[in-house]
Amino acid sequence: MARPIWTGVLTFGLVTLPVGLYTATQDHTVHFHQLQRGTSDRIRNKRVNERTGKEVGGDRIVKGYELDEGEYVVVEPEELEEIAPGRSKVIDLAGFVDLHRVEPVYFDRTYYVGPRGKEYAQVYELMRAALDRSGKAGIATLTMRGKEYLTALRAQPDVLVLHTLHWADEVRDPADVVPELPERHAKADSKELRTAERLIDALSIDWDPHDYRDTYEERVKRLVAAKREGEEVVGEPQPPEATNVIDLMEALSRSVEQSRSRGGTGGKQGKRSEGGEGSKGGEVGKGSGAGSGGEEGKRRDGGHGGRGPAARRERSGALASLSKAELYERASAADVPGRSKMTREQLIEALTRAGAAA
């Protein structure tokens, strides 16, 4: 079991609950060592005295606040603890706010909050259930590791979680940092806005974090494996060109049609198409090339038996969900000429044509 990174008490009115904080997330980034080029010699970082050049042990290092160049006020860790008596061990919920009122930009890190003993389980669950039913978050300050944090305590189905928040003066005003922000002038009844809303509705899905993975980490691992074996490394495509305002309506309309060709308008319908009531459309598709469904399939494909525009759109939609590496493997199997220099979009187009010619 993990050890808490902080222990103290959570106060809620006259209720006091001993708790511990546990790190809720973990980093799975691929880490590299620094080497001197041409050798396997590791590069090390050392803490050295910039005047003498000698290494200094951690027990001889203190904190200094610079008043002027070369002039410091030295502060010991014990002195920092003394100026916050009691507060470093207490999460005092000062009030509760609606969760949707806290903008996501304010959230920083997340910790699980657990009771420090089975005897506190009833009080803990009471607090969790009450927060869950209220839809609110408790706001408190917390001193941890020599720093004071603004925090929000909220409930998940099985556990209390504590989010550290940025202070108001730490969050930048977007107007000060983002150049050329447009004014909010979109008309509620504009054709472009309605089409954009249709596209959002067509691409709506159920949220399941397990449906997503860190593909960049996987590409880094493939890169390392390929270089170890002396294989060719396939680069990623350049980002697509920006949409011209003149072509905006066309791009939106084509996006809606493309989302429909991939199997439905929304995540729930898309999932149902794998079986159950939503699978009826799939049965029509299966029979469209033979038997009683053959004529219907020919009409939809323009009479080309799987080589018409509808069939090409279906193939293109299926290929669009693949990574460039997967598309390159298919292009190699299909012996597509010039594939090593193609972008991801060009590989999709070439494979679509190859499928139509097959």
Side-chain angles (χ1 to χ4, degrees):
M1 298 293 289
R3 296 182 61 183
I5 65 168
W6 179 93
T7 57
V9 295
L10 177 65
T11 61
F12 173 37
L14 298 178
V15 179
T16 299
L17 174 64
V19 296
L21 297 187
Y22 303 82
T23 304
T25 60
Q26 59 184 358
D27 180 25
H28 60 193
T29 303
V30 178
H31 295 281
F32 294 92
H33 293 301
Q34 291 183 324
L35 308 175
Q36 183 175 346
R37 187 181 297 278
T39 74
S40 296
D41 299 338
R42 290 277 302 275
I43 302 299
R44 302 285 186 178
N45 294 322
K46 295 182 179 180
R47 296 177 177 180
V48 299
N49 183 314
E50 67 175 14
R51 180 178 60 83
T52 65
K54 295 181 178 180
E55 186 175 357
V56 180
D59 59 339
R60 300 191 61 192
I61 297 176
V62 295
K63 293 184 177 181
Y65 184 87
E66 188 171 22
L67 298 175
D68 201 351
E69 186 175 354
E71 184 181 355
Y72 296 89
V73 171
V74 176
V75 180
E76 300 289 346
E78 297 80 10
E79 295 174 318
L80 293 174
E81 285 289 333
E82 288 175 1
I83 64 175
R87 297 181 63 190
S88 61
K89 293 296 181 182
V90 179
I91 302 174
D92 185 11
L93 299 178
F96 297 87
V97 300
D98 292 330
L99 275 173
H100 70 273
R101 297 297 301 274
V102 184
E103 294 289 344
V105 69
Y106 283 93
F107 288 94
D108 186 13
R109 301 198 65 179
T110 303
Y111 300 92
Y112 291 136
V113 181
R116 295 185 61 201
K118 293 182 179 180
E119 63 269 30
Y120 304 114
Q122 182 177 356
V123 179
Y124 177 89
E125 175 55 24
L126 174 66
M127 185 175 293
R128 190 210 62 79
L131 272 178
D132 191 27
R133 293 180 62 177
S134 69
K136 295 180 181 291
I139 303 300
T141 56
L142 165 69
T143 302
M144 179 172 59
R145 296 174 177 173
K147 183 178 179 181
E148 188 173 31
Y149 296 91
L150 180 65
T151 65
L153 181 75
R154 59 177 295 185
Q156 287 189 180
D158 300 313
V159 67
L160 286 170
V161 294
L162 187 82
H163 301 284
T164 58
L165 306 176
H166 293 290
W167 300 97
D169 60 359
E170 293 179 327
V171 177
R172 296 177 175 180
D173 186 334
D176 295 336
V177 294
V178 183
E180 301 178 8
L181 274 179
E183 296 180 1
R184 297 174 59 181
H185 64 274
K187 297 180 180 178
D189 60 345
S190 69
K191 190 173 182 180
E192 291 88 352
L193 182 58
R194 292 197 302 271
T195 305
E197 290 173 340
R198 285 171 52 204
L199 175 59
I200 292 173
D201 184 61
L203 296 176
S204 294
I205 59 175
D206 290 328
W207 165 243
D208 185 352
H210 297 96
D211 290 341
Y212 305 89
R213 65 184 193 277
D214 186 351
T215 58
Y216 177 70
E217 181 192 11
E218 294 174 356
R219 290 197 297 270
V220 171
K221 290 180 178 179
R222 286 201 296 267
L223 167 65
V224 172
K227 294 198 70 173
R228 183 179 183 181
E229 301 295 330
E231 298 175 356
E232 178 185 2
V233 179
V234 181
E236 284 299 303
Q238 295 295 320
E241 295 182 1
T243 303
N244 192 301
V245 176
I246 300 176
D247 303 326
L248 178 59
M249 190 62 202
E250 180 186 357
L252 288 170
S253 300
R254 288 175 59 188
S255 298
V256 172
E257 292 300 321
Q258 187 180 55
S259 68
R260 288 175 176 172
S261 70
R262 292 180 184 177
T265 59
K268 293 183 179 179
Q269 292 180 349
K271 288 186 177 181
R272 283 201 301 269
S273 66
E274 298 173 5
E277 295 180 2
S279 63
K280 292 180 181 180
E283 292 171 2
V284 173
K286 289 180 181 178
S288 63
S292 60
E295 293 301 320
E296 176 66 21
K298 288 182 180 180
R299 284 197 296 273
R300 270 190 272 173
D301 292 341
H304 296 290
R307 295 194 295 261
R312 286 196 294 271
R313 283 197 300 270
E314 184 176 351
R315 279 191 294 272
S316 178
L319 292 170
S321 64
L322 301 179
S323 67
K324 186 181 180 182
E326 292 169 330
L327 292 169
Y328 185 81
E329 290 178 4
R330 293 199 179 194
S332 299
D335 198 22
V336 174
R339 57 187 177 275
S340 62
K341 297 182 179 179
M342 290 184 178
T343 65
R344 184 172 180 274
E345 287 71 22
Q346 290 170 335
L347 285 170
I348 292 175
E349 184 178 352
L351 286 169
T352 302
R353 288 199 304 269

